[in-house]
């Protein structure tokens, strides 16, 4: 019944975890879910209020413009200027997305011919792979290993792959490893992309979720980046707006025009009232972002201290709300945590073959629950 391409899609690992979780819940187990990358904190009040107001305006009830309202694109350009010192032409270098997943899932369709390679970090956000497969491209996994600080080693990519590579995804601060881009990495990527004619897609979904005074850069800060690539951003993680579905793609105008052309044919843009609320989020005080980071930071500190006390050798992340912990067998470890301690953690293999040997904890639960999780692990003798 299903098309052949369906069989190329990754296994239903996350669905399987949901099933296992549901089984435990049916037994009455009080589950601590550290699996989902979805903030538990609510969207800040001033953003919600802005949506309510905008929803009452009949002018907002029509089809939105495809690329986004001019005022939204101007707000994005202003935010990029303030935050990264990057100047963007709001008319040509900013496109609204229905969440960055929308852009990531569709970009390959605009640039990748059947048989072209797409360079994808492994472990990585699963949509880089599925977007490639829908465009009938070939996924080349760039391993992110501890040895190379969870950054792809571009020299390791086989020559034949480089020669027919059309696109490359990079993502720092990184999901799932929580790694940050080392100094000079974006420069190296731009040079590589120039040399080999590769479209770079930088996924910067976590730039604002950072600790210890770390400030994540934008790929577009590097000279020449705008000639080879775009960056995607999202309000999902920054303002706890995962359910609202709004993000943006910025950078190279021709690349954005390609993405825009695909999108024009498959969706009809983001509800204007949501764009209005996004303008409020991007243009208003960023105190709410600092407040959220302080909350995550406390949780991070509790989880890291607890895991280290249990004897795990786990690095302390400078950004994202993930903790990436080495374990022997990620599937066995996750299953044991769930079935014997009622804790959900995501097995690394769910993010590609490079994720084997790790589990990902999301610190999207209150401190008390994280302490409880540590106590359960202690009782389990882990
Ligand atoms: C959450 C996430 C996204 C997408 O989020 P949207 O809600 O679609 O904007 C993109 N990339 C990474 C790495 C993510 O973790």
């Amino acid at each position: 019944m299903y098309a052949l391409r369906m069989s190329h899609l990754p296994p239903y690992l996350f669905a399987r975890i949901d099933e296992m979780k549901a089984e435990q819940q049916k037994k009455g187990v009080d589950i601590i879910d550290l699996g989902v990358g979805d903030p538990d904190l609510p969207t800040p009040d001033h953003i919600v209020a802005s949506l309510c107001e905008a929803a009452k305006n009949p002018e907002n009830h029509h089809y939105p413009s495809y690329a986004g309202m001019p005022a939204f694109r101007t707000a994005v350009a202003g935010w990029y200027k303030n935050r990264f010192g990057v100047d963007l032409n709001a008319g040509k270098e900013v496109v609204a997305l229905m969440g960055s997943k929308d852009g990531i899932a569709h970009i390959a369709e605009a640039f990748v011919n059947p048989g072209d390679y797409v360079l994808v970090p492994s472990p990585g956000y699963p949509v880089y792979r599925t977007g490639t497969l829908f465009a009938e491209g070939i996924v080349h996994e760039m391993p992110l290993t501890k040895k190379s600080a969870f950054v792809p080693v571009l020299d390791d990519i086989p020559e034949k792959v480089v020669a027919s590579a059309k696109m490359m995804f990079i993502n720092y601060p990184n999901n799932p490893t929580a790694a940050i881009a080392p100094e000079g990495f974006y420069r190296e990527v731009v040079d590589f992309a120039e040399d080999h004619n590769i479209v770079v897609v930088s996924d910067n979904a976590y730039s604002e979720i950072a600790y210890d005074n770390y400030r994540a850069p934008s790929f577009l800060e590097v000279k020449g980046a705008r000639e080879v690539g775009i960056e995607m951003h999202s309000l999902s993680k920054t303002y706890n707006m995962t359910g609202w579905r709004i993000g943006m793609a910025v950078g190279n105008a021709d690349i954005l025009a390609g993405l825009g052309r695909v999108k024009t044919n498959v969706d009809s843009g983001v509800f204007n009232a949501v764009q209005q609320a996004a303008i409020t989020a991007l243009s208003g005080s960023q105190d709410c972002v600092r407040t959220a980071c302080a909350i995550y930071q406390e949780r991070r500190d509790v989880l890291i201290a607890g895991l280290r006390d249990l004897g795990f050798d786990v690095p302390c992340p400078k950004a994202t709300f993930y903790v990436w912990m080495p374990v022997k067998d990620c599937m066995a470890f996750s299953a044991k945590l769930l079935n014997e301690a009622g804790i959900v953690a995501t097995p690394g293999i769910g993010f590609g073959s490079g994720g084997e040997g790790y589990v990902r904890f999301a610190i999207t639960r209150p401190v008390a629950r994280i302490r409880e999780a540590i106590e359960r692990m202690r009782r389990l003798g882990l």
Side-chain angles (χ1 to χ4, degrees):
M1 177 199 221
Y2 297 120
L4 198 55
R5 76 173 65 83
M6 295 280 278
S7 66
H8 302 314
L9 295 178
Y12 295 98
L13 179 66
F14 294 104
R16 176 77 195 113
I17 293 170
D18 277 351
E19 267 172 35
M20 284 164 64
K21 184 179 150 187
E23 276 166 35
Q24 292 298 315
Q25 267 165 333
K26 233 194 294 172
K27 284 193 225 156
V29 176
D30 166 33
I31 297 281
I32 303 175
D33 193 343
L34 304 177
V36 286
D38 185 354
D40 58 322
L41 308 170
T43 306
D45 287 340
H46 69 289
I47 302 173
V48 176
S50 176
L51 170 75
C52 293
E53 205 46 53
K56 290 179 199 155
N57 181 354
E59 278 178 31
N60 288 332
H61 298 171
H62 302 283
Y63 281 120
S65 75
Y66 289 110
M69 294 161 77
F72 170 73
R73 286 185 280 161
T74 302
V76 168
W79 186 81
Y80 251 82
K81 177 70 182 161
N82 285 337
R83 175 60 180 80
F84 301 112
V86 169
D87 282 300
L88 295 169
N89 176 328
K92 290 187 183 144
E93 296 178 322
V94 180
V95 170
L97 301 174
M98 302 164 81
S100 46
K101 183 175 185 177
D102 166 30
I104 293 166
H106 288 300
I107 183 109
E109 283 162 31
F111 297 98
V112 174
N113 284 310
D116 286 347
Y117 278 97
V118 176
L119 309 174
V120 171
S122 176
Y125 184 60
V127 188
Y128 308 141
R129 169 185 293 274
T130 47
T132 302
L133 294 175
F134 278 127
E136 296 179 43
I138 307 172
V139 172
H140 176 81
E141 292 191 329
M142 303 183 290
L144 307 186
T145 64
K146 185 179 175 200
K147 187 161 159 268
S148 55
F150 300 105
V151 166
V153 181
L154 304 181
D155 286 341
D156 283 355
I157 305 169
E159 231 167 90
K160 136 178 174 299
V161 172
V162 174
S164 46
K166 193 65 197 285
M167 187 178 289
M168 174 188 213
F169 287 99
I170 52 173
N171 165 223
Y172 294 96
N174 183 258
N175 175 12
T177 70
I180 56 176
E183 190 79 36
F185 174 67
Y186 287 149
R187 172 80 264 145
E188 195 192 328
V189 169
V190 170
D191 293 344
F192 181 81
E194 275 172 1
D195 289 349
H196 303 289
N197 236 329
I198 291 170
V199 172
V200 177
V201 179
S202 164
D203 177 0
N204 209 354
Y206 293 95
S207 66
E208 305 316 294
I209 312 299
Y211 317 109
D212 310 328
N213 297 320
Y214 174 69
R215 272 175 78 77
S218 161
F219 169 70
L220 295 173
E221 288 175 31
V222 172
K223 199 161 170 285
R226 200 183 312 224
E227 276 65 60
V228 298
I230 62 170
E231 186 157 87
M232 294 198 197
H233 235 295
S234 168
L235 280 80
S236 288
K237 315 294 162 57
T238 306
Y239 305 104
N240 312 323
M241 288 171 69
T242 49
W244 297 54
R245 313 313 305 139
I246 183 156
M248 61 273 209
V250 302
N252 185 280
D254 295 328
I255 298 174
L256 292 177
L259 172 63
R261 210 163 137 201
V262 172
K263 278 174 51 59
T264 306
N265 285 284
V266 295
D267 70 60
S268 300
V270 178
F271 181 25
N272 281 346
V274 169
Q275 293 190 55
Q276 206 70 57
I279 294 169
T280 300
L282 293 168
S283 321
S285 160
Q286 302 297 296
D287 285 352
C288 56
V289 183
R290 282 184 281 276
T291 304
C293 286
I295 292 170
Y296 293 135
Q297 182 157 345
E298 186 193 359
R299 295 172 178 181
R300 175 200 71 167
D301 292 344
V302 168
L303 182 61
I304 295 290
L307 290 170
R308 285 181 178 170
D309 190 48
L310 292 175
F312 291 106
D313 170 26
V314 57
C316 185
K318 285 238 175 299
T320 76
F321 42 59
Y322 303 115
V323 166
W324 187 240
M325 185 171 89
V327 293
K328 261 207 199 73
D329 173 339
C330 70
M331 285 303 286
F333 188 89
S334 300
K336 191 176 167 76
L337 272 189
L338 181 53
N339 296 326
E340 296 176 37
I343 300 165
V344 181
T346 310
I349 192 82
F351 301 100
S353 63
E356 178 51 271
Y358 288 87
V359 292
R360 188 194 76 177
F361 293 103
I363 47 176
T364 49
R365 290 292 174 265
V367 161
R369 297 296 277 169
I370 292 174
R371 283 192 208 283
E372 164 75 16
I374 293 289
E375 278 324 300
R376 290 187 194 180
M377 285 189 237
R378 194 187 309 281
R379 283 200 295 272
L380 199 57
L382 283 175

